Amino acid sequence: MAPAQATIDLPNKAYLLPQAIPMWPPAWWTWLALAIILMLAIGALAFFYRRHKKRIYRREALSALTTASHELDAKACILQCHEMIRRCLISEGQHETAALPSSALLEKIDQSMPKKHRFSSLGADFVDGIYQQHIELTAAQRAEMLKVTRYWIRKHHA
């Protein structure tokens, strides 16, 4: 057997090859693309922060309704629901709408709500209950009133 050649002699050994092209600095437009991405990220963060701050009143109203569901009697619970609705409208700048009488206010609100979650489905006790001397509500009625009010607070776009 013949011994194997260890290396192959190639011609033109005198050529100088350039150094490898480095990855940094990147192309000129990379900085522009990076700046645009950074500006979009900052803009999105600013938008969501402003939206979060603007909706604080909703979280406060929902927490007030949660505490009201256990501690208050029927009339006070209805009054709390009406108050939270009016406060939300005032927070959104709808002063004229918030100043309407309860029946007119709830009719106007019901126009923009789905049939399943309308205040008119709660009956006359919800609309006129705060004006009655003695009112009794079952636990189911109270829960439904609070559920519809919470739904409106979460979903309204005054």
Side-chain angles (χ1 to χ4, degrees):
M1 279 209 159
Q5 288 181 323
T7 60
I8 298 176
D9 289 333
L10 296 175
N12 304 324
K13 290 183 179 178
Y15 288 121
L16 294 175
L17 297 175
Q19 294 179 353
I21 299 172
M23 291 297 290
W24 203 259
W28 66 269
W29 51 264
T30 307
W31 296 111
L32 181 62
L34 185 63
I36 289 171
I37 291 170
L38 186 63
M39 295 292 275
L40 287 173
I42 290 171
L45 285 174
F47 171 77
F48 286 117
Y49 179 74
R50 286 183 61 206
R51 182 177 179 212
H52 178 77
K53 294 290 277 182
K54 186 178 176 183
R55 293 184 173 187
I56 285 176
Y57 74 93
R58 290 181 190 217
R59 290 186 295 279
E60 290 174 356
L62 290 171
S63 68
L65 282 177
T66 302
T67 59
S69 64
H70 302 294
E71 300 171 358
L72 302 175
D73 64 336
K75 187 173 182 178
C77 184
I78 294 170
L79 185 62
Q80 183 77 11
C81 290
H82 283 242
E83 183 181 346
M84 289 302 120
I85 291 169
R86 291 180 192 278
R87 280 186 175 186
C88 289
L89 288 169
I90 289 171
S91 295
E92 286 287 329
Q94 297 286 326
H95 299 284
E96 295 82 17
T97 306
L100 291 172
S102 295
S103 58
L105 172 65
L106 295 176
E107 286 176 15
K108 186 170 183 174
I109 290 174
D110 278 348
Q111 293 172 356
S112 63
M113 292 184 53
K115 288 184 179 184
K116 183 179 178 183
H117 298 288
R118 290 192 176 169
F119 290 109
S120 59
S121 67
L122 300 175
D125 288 338
F126 185 73
V127 178
D128 300 323
I130 57 175
Y131 306 114
Q132 296 176 6
Q133 181 77 20
H134 301 287
I135 185 166
E136 293 295 325
L137 295 175
T138 64
Q141 286 176 316
R142 182 184 291 208
E144 186 65 23
M145 287 179 185
L146 291 170
K147 178 181 148 191
V148 172
T149 305
R150 282 188 195 113
Y151 177 83
W152 182 82
I153 290 171
R154 283 192 315 270
K155 300 294 182 179
H156 84 279
H157 301 287

